[in-house]
Amino acid sequence: MGALAVVIGSGCGGAQHARARAPSPRLAGRTARAAAAPVRTVSRLDLGRSVRGRPIVAVHIRGERPGRTVLVVGCIHGNETAGIAVARALERTRARRLDLWEVEDLNPDGVAAGTRQNADQVDLNRNFPQGWRPLGRPGDQQYSGPRALSEPEARIAYDLIRRIRPSVSIWFHQPVGVVDESGGDLGVEQRFAAVSGLPLRRLTRYPGSAVGWQDATMPGTTAFVVELPPGRPSGDAVRRYARAVLALSR
Ligand SMILES: [Zn+2]
């Protein structure tokens, strides 16, 4: 929590690099009110480090008229990386109605090693506090860790979410190719399914999952899993998934 609080509280400097499009010289003669109109900003926030010391970063994109606060986590299981491309595509969007937070990669050690788990061999999506219970042993597919929030990557997501309280959170996984009815507002999940072209299905709900914690403890918000199809998504597919995220941002 400490690093994040410092970064967000500071508003400038430190690890935050806000980048706003400066008004063009042509606008210089306009009224002060027009000059003060909000612009699109992209900020990068250093959230902390993984077990192996790799940085975990959030990108915050605010459009000219911020809409609902939406969080996208591109990757939590290190061998399911397709969502990272979706997150990166969203960073280039010019949508005006946007208040979008993204963690492209919550499990950089797992991505580097090509493993589902983090460097402690923990399944991060079994390490959140809601209904946490011991599952498996180190190296097992769904090892939940020694206790809830034992892993720095899970704590980083937990702290970020409690701070920004997203109305909608989308956690990308692979390879099932469905939008999971994970809890929260079914209409939100239906909308994502309709725009993305992925079918809506209810998958097994596991103890200690990130969306389970969010949906149980933050009433009025919706967190859900999107299982993208296997392999690397095409450019068309990435754009379609990005449009589905933007459809929930208005
Ligand atoms: Zn997964």
Side-chain angles (χ1 to χ4, degrees):
M1 175 69 93
L4 178 63
V6 168
V7 166
I8 286 185
S10 71
C12 64
Q16 177 168 339
H17 309 290
R19 191 166 81 225
R21 276 185 295 163
S24 72
R26 280 190 300 120
L27 295 181
R30 294 199 182 175
T31 65
R33 185 157 164 262
V39 294
R40 177 179 182 273
T41 61
V42 180
S43 312
R44 288 185 180 274
L45 309 176
D46 185 356
L47 301 180
R49 295 286 181 276
S50 68
V51 170
R52 292 272 183 265
R54 291 186 169 90
I56 296 175
V57 173
V59 180
H60 184 202
I61 307 157
R62 273 173 68 90
E64 294 171 32
R65 293 181 301 129
R68 281 203 278 203
T69 302
V70 174
L71 170 69
V72 167
V73 180
C75 176
I76 180 172
H77 287 146
N79 56 355
E80 303 170 5
T81 57
I84 294 175
V86 181
R88 288 186 180 153
L90 283 161
E91 286 163 35
R92 298 190 293 271
T93 179
R94 293 289 165 198
R96 293 160 65 99
R97 191 147 174 75
L98 199 65
D99 182 17
L100 178 63
W101 288 82
E102 299 193 313
V103 179
E104 284 179 12
D105 183 1
L106 185 62
N107 185 6
D109 296 344
V111 171
T115 60
R116 171 186 176 93
Q117 302 89 342
N118 74 348
D120 287 336
Q121 304 184 57
V122 173
D123 180 343
L124 297 173
N125 207 30
R126 305 289 179 269
N127 196 235
F128 285 79
Q130 187 66 27
W132 183 91
R133 58 186 168 85
L135 293 173
R137 293 183 305 180
D140 285 353
Q141 164 110 340
Q142 299 191 29
Y143 173 49
S144 59
R147 63 192 174 279
L149 297 178
S150 60
E151 303 310 300
E153 298 90 347
R155 287 196 299 274
I156 282 170
Y158 177 86
D159 288 345
L160 176 69
I161 289 163
R162 291 199 335 153
R163 178 160 289 271
I164 68 174
R165 294 226 154 221
S167 299
V168 175
S169 301
I170 303 156
W171 292 75
F172 284 112
H173 291 253
Q174 283 181 284
V176 186
V178 302
V179 177
D180 177 30
E181 276 187 43
S182 309
D185 182 348
L186 180 60
V188 169
E189 296 159 346
Q190 285 171 333
R191 177 110 178 98
F192 191 97
V195 179
S196 69
L198 296 170
L200 185 64
R201 265 192 20 213
R202 178 164 169 172
L203 303 175
T204 307
R205 295 183 181 179
Y206 292 98
S209 78
V211 296
W213 162 66
Q214 289 184 257
D215 286 324
T217 62
M218 297 183 192
T221 74
T222 300
F224 64 101
V225 164
V226 174
E227 282 271 354
L228 297 174
R232 228 176 113 170
S234 68
D236 277 354
V238 167
R239 283 187 286 277
R240 199 166 62 246
Y241 304 141
R243 273 201 303 277
V245 173
L246 294 177
L248 303 184
S249 297
R250 292 190 273 273

